[in-house]
Amino acid sequence: MSTDPNSPNRPYPLQRTRNIGIAAHIDAGKTTLTERILFYTGMIHKIGEVHDGAATTDHMEQERERGITITSAAVTCEWVQQPDVDITKLFESEKQRVNIIDTPGHVDFTAEVERSLRVLDGAVVVFCGVAGVQPQTETVWRQANKYNVPRIVFVNKMDRTGADFNNVLEDVREKLGATAAAVLIPIGAEENLRGQIDVVNQKAVIYADDDKFGSTYSIEELSGDLQLEAEAAREELLEVVADLDDEIGEKFLMEEEITNADLKAAIRRLTIANKFIPVSGGSAFKNKGVQFLVDAVVDYLPSPVDIDAAQGQEADDEDSVVLAPADDNEKFCSLAFKLWADKFVGKLVFFRVYSGTISKGDMVYNPRTRKQERVSRLIQMQADKHVELETCYAGDIAAFVGIKNVTTGDTLCTKKFDILLEPPTFPEPVIAMAVEPRTKADQDKLATGLSRLQEEDPTFVVKTDDDTGQCIIAGMGELHLEVIVDRLKREFKVEANTGKPQIAYRETISSDAIGVGVLKKQTGGTGQYAKVNLSVKPNEQGKGLTIDNKVVGGAIPKEFIKAVYGGIEDSTRNGVIAGYPVVDIHVDIVDGDAHDVDSNENAFRVAAILAMREALENGSPLLLEPVMDVEVTTPDEYQGDILGDLNRRRGQIAGMDSKGAACTLKATVPLAEMFGYMTALRTVSSGRASFTMEPASFEPVPQAIVDQKFGESV
């Protein structure tokens, strides 16, 4: 039997395929880097700039207007490592396929990064040469760790004033705990940036400042200080690699010659094993360093066959382990990681093929719905443009057109393959607002638009408030909801009014409490009787609701225990202070009583709700609010005013850090106090300060504020 995983019809062997994501903090230069890669690979023939609203992967109107990436965009390109004199490249002259997903940097769109990293084999994490490791970079890094994604670092913006490659490298080691070393060091910085030192090959790569956008470069010998720097960097790189890689370690100890090809192969092994991070520096905007970065992507990041087979479980057995190896000859298995409403072709389902192949006309099976559908169209995405496909192979990222009843994270496979892949996980929404149509005619269109947007975006939630009847939309931040409302207007032609965003408060208790619930109704004939005794105590933060059944002697018959659990869960949906969900409590079902005739499931459910109500009221209830980690970067002269403003917003200052003339303030601030902060910050700093925030935890609301917002507390 053949061991070749490649179908004879596939255009690129699996070994020559790279699925990578470009991820980073806001404004580190991800989209600019993606645009340069597409230009040098010949996918586009004119470079579009983000500030002109012309970047290929920023194709939404909202992205072009704001100059930010909102939704991840998939593009495919080809790359051939060019033969250069005295330069060792692992895959020289072999045509490679590189599938790239450009992801957003803003925390409000963190779900886009999450789902992209779930299906990618490798990532390029972009850092700003001035700012180094920033808060959202840490979030992206954590997400990459969660899905075990091998990555390389590109230190961008080395042409900016204050750029320092070594500082960023130290940041990566200290703040992210990564074992990292330089493989491509920028030559010069700021306006003197000329090229890169190739540490492995000990050569200088000098990029031409001509009208070809850095397409031409020359390989030169190193001399003087550059040579000393290069030799020291290679020595450091060798030591790090020798520590981690047995093969190189042995040669190092035996003082045998380590060739450039040996070193590169070892870096590749370590990067794929997630033990080492190669670091490169340059400037995407100034067209310096991108070609050798793409060479590094091909050299060091894995192909689908270099990583472990995708792991899932049988649909009805959580403990089983089922593998989907990257092989065209295996059964078809893929993960739907994104839904998108395209104005030309309708509903798109983006998917990553893990094993097997799928062709037009084949049937795909969804283990969640247990239904099959025929594939009518397959397309490869080039940002917002489409290329029709006949067949998709293992390792490919493509899109189905028109498949119904699919949600983000569904496994799509052949019916004979009993496998369920792990879906990506998404954070809970932290901010909500009321939305209503301006006219009666907009009512149906609003419902359709919200439903479609909710399908696309797992962090966008739509619900109806039981008490007020209002339609509430919830998301990851003000910008997220602003974009949603804007899309309703443009894509679905719905004019909507929005209320001030409501905070997603939570409730809990601060002391142990007992609750007894008795339901006793006699109305002639069969009555209703149930008694439930509960003991409730605070749980660890983030633990949620946990329940233990400690009933002995059959005080509550076994068949009614499930109803008691249901009643407890129901009662946590509305707390006793202001009706917000109750979190982080532990409930013990201690005792109860039943009647042979009058007890039933409904009676025990109601009795459990009554018992919980009493226990929550007796347990010193607390209102919790979402607290954000806020980081403000500002010129020194505005530091005092910004500190004062954060204190007024109930902020707790966690630390200050100065780099040159810029100062970074770290604080935790309640989300309720952060509305409109961007405007206030721009006013205080004459538009020169910027900030980022991301969810940290839920903390108790001061009693004075509870009384002010919700009247006298319980």
Side-chain angles (χ1 to χ4, degrees):
M1 184 167 162
S2 167
T3 54
D4 183 7
N6 295 296
S7 156
N9 303 320
R10 69 178 296 142
Y12 290 84
L14 270 160
Q15 295 85 339
R16 293 195 204 154
T17 301
R18 301 287 182 274
N19 291 315
I20 63 160
I22 312 276
H25 185 86
I26 310 151
D27 210 27
K30 297 177 296 299
T31 304
T32 304
L33 176 61
T34 307
E35 194 72 9
R36 295 309 186 272
I37 293 173
L38 296 181
F39 177 74
Y40 296 132
T41 56
M43 224 288 286
I44 57 173
H45 303 291
K46 178 178 180 292
I47 290 178
E49 300 295 0
V50 174
H51 53 263
D52 297 332
T56 308
T57 50
D58 283 355
H59 54 82
M60 286 170 67
E61 288 173 23
Q62 291 89 338
E63 294 178 313
R64 293 186 163 172
E65 284 169 10
R66 290 174 170 81
I68 60 169
T69 302
I70 291 169
T71 180
S72 53
V75 285
T76 296
C77 52
E78 295 171 357
W79 182 252
V80 179
Q81 291 186 335
Q82 296 302 324
D84 287 312
V85 180
D86 295 333
I87 297 280
T88 301
K89 299 180 182 183
L90 292 182
F91 302 94
E92 198 173 280
S93 302
E94 292 180 15
K95 197 180 269 190
Q96 309 278 341
R97 165 174 281 184
V98 184
N99 297 318
I100 302 172
I101 296 185
D102 176 29
T103 64
H106 203 288
V107 68
D108 284 22
F109 309 111
T110 192
E112 290 289 326
V113 187
E114 186 84 26
R115 59 175 159 202
S116 300
L117 288 174
R118 169 66 184 84
V119 297
L120 291 167
D121 303 327
V124 178
V125 185
V126 185
F127 291 75
C128 169
V130 181
V133 175
Q134 293 169 280
Q136 187 61 14
T137 326
E138 295 184 35
T139 306
V140 168
W141 202 265
R142 280 198 304 272
Q143 289 169 314
N145 284 341
K146 181 162 88 177
Y147 295 118
N148 217 18
V149 178
R151 65 216 87 142
I152 59 180
V153 162
F154 181 60
V155 181
N156 193 21
K157 302 197 175 185
M158 285 305 301
D159 57 307
R160 274 185 57 191
T161 307
D164 189 322
F165 179 78
N166 290 326
N167 269 359
V168 180
L169 183 54
E170 276 311 306
D171 256 10
V172 171
R173 288 168 177 161
E174 286 174 21
K175 294 184 180 172
L176 303 176
T179 305
V183 291
L184 292 160
I185 300 172
I187 297 175
E190 303 176 5
E191 71 275 10
N192 299 319
L193 181 69
R194 295 184 298 130
Q196 294 167 304
I197 297 170
D198 184 333
V199 176
V200 174
N201 293 297
Q202 294 286 289
K203 299 287 179 191
V205 186
I206 306 297
Y207 292 88
D209 279 320
D210 56 20
D211 56 0
K212 292 180 183 168
F213 299 107
S215 294
T216 52
Y217 58 83
S218 58
I219 307 295
E220 297 180 7
E221 293 297 331
L222 294 160
S223 59
D225 289 347
L226 284 183
Q227 188 171 358
L228 294 174
E229 186 181 355
E231 285 168 359
R234 192 176 199 274
E235 199 59 41
E236 183 184 19
L237 178 63
L238 255 177
E239 282 176 17
V240 173
V241 170
D243 272 351
L244 300 168
D245 186 82
D246 293 343
E247 209 173 298
I248 295 293
E250 201 172 310
K251 286 191 173 188
F252 193 72
L253 288 172
M254 304 300 286
E255 296 185 2
E256 291 176 24
E257 187 197 353
I258 297 169
T259 66
N260 295 344
D262 290 340
L263 183 51
K264 279 208 160 187
I267 294 171
R268 178 176 177 79
R269 285 194 295 272
L270 294 174
T271 306
I272 291 170
N274 253 320
K275 294 179 179 175
F276 176 71
I277 310 287
V279 181
S280 164
S283 165
F285 184 56
K286 290 288 166 69
N287 313 305
K288 291 186 170 68
V290 179
Q291 292 96 313
F292 267 63
L293 174 70
V294 186
D295 279 348
V297 164
V298 170
D299 275 346
Y300 305 133
L301 289 181
S303 72
V305 290
D306 293 321
I307 52 175
D308 294 337
Q311 197 168 306
Q313 62 185 50
E314 289 175 13
D316 299 319
D317 182 2
E318 282 185 22
D319 300 323
S320 59
V321 175
V322 185
L323 299 180
D327 188 330
D328 292 337
N329 308 304
E330 294 282 338
K331 293 174 190 162
F332 171 69
C333 169
S334 69
L335 183 76
F337 67 95
K338 175 173 169 154
L339 276 64
W340 186 251
D342 187 273
K343 55 189 172 195
F344 300 114
V345 297
K347 185 173 162 185
L348 292 176
V349 178
F350 285 75
F351 65 99
R352 154 76 194 261
V353 185
Y354 284 101
S355 68
T357 63
I358 186 85
S359 299
K360 282 204 297 195
D362 289 353
M363 302 292 283
V364 289
Y365 175 69
N366 185 337
R368 182 181 60 82
T369 60
R370 299 184 188 275
K371 288 188 178 159
Q372 284 196 98
E373 270 192 77
R374 191 171 297 285
V375 177
S376 58
R377 282 175 76 190
L378 285 169
I379 57 176
Q380 188 181 80
M381 296 303 295
Q382 296 291 21
D384 59 340
K385 298 180 177 62
H386 321 122
V387 179
E388 294 281 341
L389 295 173
E390 283 299 318
T391 303
C392 283
Y393 300 91
D396 283 358
I397 292 173
F400 293 120
V401 179
I403 284 193
K404 299 181 181 68
N405 300 325
V406 175
T407 60
T408 301
D410 276 357
T411 302
L412 298 171
C413 55
T414 178
K415 195 166 185 183
K416 294 174 186 163
F417 197 4
D418 186 11
I419 185 169
L420 203 56
L421 296 171
E422 183 196 349
T425 53
F426 299 106
E428 290 286 314
V430 296
I431 187 171
M433 65 164 73
V435 62
E436 61 183 28
R438 283 197 191 159
T439 65
K440 198 84 175 152
D442 283 334
Q443 187 99 36
D444 290 341
K445 284 197 288 185
L446 178 67
T448 306
L450 289 174
S451 157
R452 289 272 288 278
L453 292 169
Q454 189 175 13
E455 268 184 11
E456 281 176 24
D457 186 346
T459 56
F460 173 58
V461 175
V462 182
K463 58 186 180 191
T464 303
D465 189 293
D466 295 337
D467 300 329
T468 64
Q470 280 182 312
C471 178
I472 305 293
I473 58 175
M476 297 305 297
E478 279 184 278
L479 179 60
H480 187 193
L481 295 184
E482 187 187 307
V483 168
I484 291 279
V485 173
D486 195 28
R487 286 187 64 191
L488 280 173
K489 186 175 175 181
R490 292 188 197 201
E491 292 172 34
F492 300 96
K493 307 291 183 279
V494 178
E495 293 290 339
N497 294 327
T498 53
K500 190 184 170 205
Q502 301 296 305
I503 305 294
Y505 288 103
R506 298 283 184 268
E507 295 185 24
T508 191
I509 56 171
S510 55
S511 62
D512 297 4
I514 301 291
V516 180
V518 182
L519 179 71
K520 205 173 190 179
K521 280 188 180 173
Q522 202 65 48
T523 51
T526 307
Q528 299 261 357
Y529 178 76
K531 180 180 179 184
V532 175
N533 294 30
L534 301 176
S535 166
V536 183
K537 57 187 177 188
N539 218 340
E540 284 174 49
Q541 195 174 46
K543 256 307 188 48
L545 168 68
T546 52
I547 308 172
D548 273 352
N549 176 17
K550 295 198 172 170
V551 175
V552 289
I556 299 176
K558 270 185 184 167
E559 64 266 29
F560 300 136
I561 292 292
K562 193 175 176 187
V564 174
Y565 271 72
I568 293 168
E569 284 163 11
D570 283 353
S571 62
T572 59
R573 291 189 187 121
N574 301 96
V576 294
I577 299 176
Y580 289 104
V582 179
V583 295
D584 300 339
I585 58 168
H586 176 78
V587 181
D588 286 326
I589 308 168
V590 183
D591 199 4
D593 191 21
H595 186 276
D596 292 345
V597 178
D598 293 351
S599 290
N600 56 40
E601 283 191 6
N602 191 48
F604 271 100
R605 182 180 281 267
V606 174
I609 290 172
L610 295 172
M612 277 294 287
R613 198 93 190 148
E614 182 179 298
L616 292 174
E617 285 173 358
N618 294 339
S620 310
L622 285 175
L623 190 69
L624 303 174
E625 62 184 344
V627 172
M628 313 300 280
D629 276 334
V630 178
E631 187 165 299
V632 184
T633 305
T634 171
D636 273 344
E637 60 260 41
Y638 305 113
Q639 182 186 319
D641 293 342
I642 289 169
L643 276 173
D645 185 53
L646 286 172
N647 284 325
R648 276 195 297 279
R649 293 171 187 271
R650 297 194 280 129
Q652 302 277 325
I653 306 302
M656 282 185 258
D657 190 17
S658 288
K659 267 189 194 169
C663 174
T664 304
L665 307 172
K666 293 181 180 175
T668 52
V669 189
L671 178 62
E673 306 293 339
M674 289 300 289
F675 291 128
Y677 184 62
M678 179 52 89
T679 311
L681 185 64
R682 282 177 181 156
T683 308
V684 168
S685 67
S686 310
R688 290 173 63 197
S690 62
F691 84 101
T692 59
M693 70 174 182
E694 52 187 41
S697 60
F698 280 87
E699 300 294 339
V701 182
Q703 191 59 47
I705 290 171
V706 177
D707 295 344
Q708 180 189 330
K709 278 184 184 292
F710 304 104
E712 285 304 311
S713 166
V714 176

